Amino acid sequence: MQIIEPYARMIDIHEREDGIKLLRKIEWCARISHASEDSQTPDSWKRFLTSVVLNHGDWSVTEHSSVTVDAVVDRGITHEWVRHRIGAYTQSSTRFINYVKKMSPSFICPFDGHDDPNVLDVWNAAISESELSYKKMVDSGVPPQLARSVFPNALASRLVVTYNLRNWRHFFLMRTTKETHPQMRQITIPLLVEFKEKIPLLYDDIEPEETQKENLKKPR
């Protein structure tokens, strides 16, 4: 039984300058409406986006740039994540991946060393039994797409997600709050930190562990 840690990270934005390029693209696109593209300078993005997006509230222009994130989370979290409607998703498929021949299954534990050892023992036993049952069925000729039914939500799944910058803002407003599932916060809060470091301005007012009610008052 292989237990791994979940993660989520940007794959196409490696440093702050990459994020600023996205913001400069947004500025250029937004300037089309007033034919002021020739007024853009290398550092005018900050003043322009502060005025047009943050102060005036025209968040629609931030839809011109997008970011892709690579994540590994459990199946339960993927079910919640893909409920965000406007985005592109590609997920490791339990229909087509043979976890006997292609790769061994990995699992994500929702508990840590501070939890009741008896609870951990029960969880470990259930996961081991599901993995063994899957292997027995596949070895008996059951197709992976049918054998997968014995896997629990704890099965680790790789998920690649692409949203525009406005949708990422909505995602963080909804998925870093006190009400959010702990395993979702485990990956969204560090991801929010990465977004703040690499894409200035647009996510600076989002703080982890606020309530959803408070966050829904913010522009989006």
Side-chain angles (χ1 to χ4, degrees), residues 4-211:
I4 63 171
E5 290 296 315
Y7 68 79
R9 57 195 176 211
M10 306 162 90
I11 64 170
D12 45 4
I13 306 299
H14 304 291
E15 55 189 22
R16 187 178 175 89
E17 186 56 38
D18 295 329
I20 291 175
K21 287 179 181 178
L22 295 182
L23 300 181
R24 295 190 73 244
K25 176 185 176 183
I26 289 170
E27 178 193 359
W28 183 87
C29 293
R31 284 183 177 278
I32 295 294
S33 64
H34 289 66
S36 63
E37 310 95 283
D38 57 348
S39 297
Q40 184 173 18
T41 68
D43 59 358
S44 60
W45 60 269
K46 185 173 184 178
R47 174 182 54 80
F48 184 88
L49 294 181
T50 298
S51 174
V52 172
V53 177
L54 301 184
N55 295 339
H56 189 262
D58 189 1
W59 284 89
S60 65
V61 297
T62 63
E63 297 172 11
H64 285 295
S65 288
S66 62
V67 168
T68 299
V69 163
D70 173 26
V72 170
V73 294
D74 80 9
R75 301 292 293 191
I77 295 303
T78 67
H79 297 336
E80 294 189 20
W81 197 327
V82 299
R83 290 186 64 218
H84 291 266
R85 300 293 193 266
I86 304 175
Y89 301 97
T90 300
Q91 182 175 345
S92 52
S93 173
T94 52
R95 283 194 66 198
F96 304 119
I97 295 176
N98 186 320
Y99 289 96
V100 174
K101 296 180 179 179
K102 180 69 175 180
M103 58 188 290
S104 297
S106 299
F107 302 90
I108 295 175
C109 183
F111 309 107
D112 59 33
H114 300 291
D115 288 292
D116 186 340
N118 293 325
V119 171
L120 287 172
D121 287 344
V122 171
W123 186 88
N124 285 327
I127 299 302
S128 295
E129 183 62 29
S130 71
E131 184 176 7
L132 180 60
S133 298
Y134 178 89
K135 184 178 187 305
K136 286 181 177 178
M137 286 194 289
V138 171
D139 287 344
S140 298
V142 176
Q145 65 177 353
L146 299 181
R148 71 177 184 178
S149 63
V150 300
F151 277 143
N153 276 343
L155 181 69
S157 181
R158 193 170 188 181
L159 181 67
V160 177
V161 182
T162 302
Y163 296 150
N164 63 51
L165 299 193
R166 186 180 191 179
N167 284 335
W168 276 118
R169 178 175 172 83
H170 177 73
F171 176 79
F172 289 125
L173 286 170
M174 299 298 291
R175 298 297 184 174
T176 59
T177 65
K178 290 179 180 179
E179 301 92 337
T180 302
H181 192 289
Q183 286 181 280
M184 181 72 85
R185 289 202 308 270
Q186 186 180 2
I187 54 102
T188 58
I189 291 175
L191 185 61
L192 173 61
V193 171
E194 185 179 10
F195 267 73
K196 286 184 175 184
E197 291 174 349
K198 295 179 179 177
I199 303 178
L201 297 178
L202 301 187
Y203 310 97
D204 291 349
D205 63 328
I206 304 175
E207 294 298 331
E209 304 293 345
E210 290 188 329
T211 66

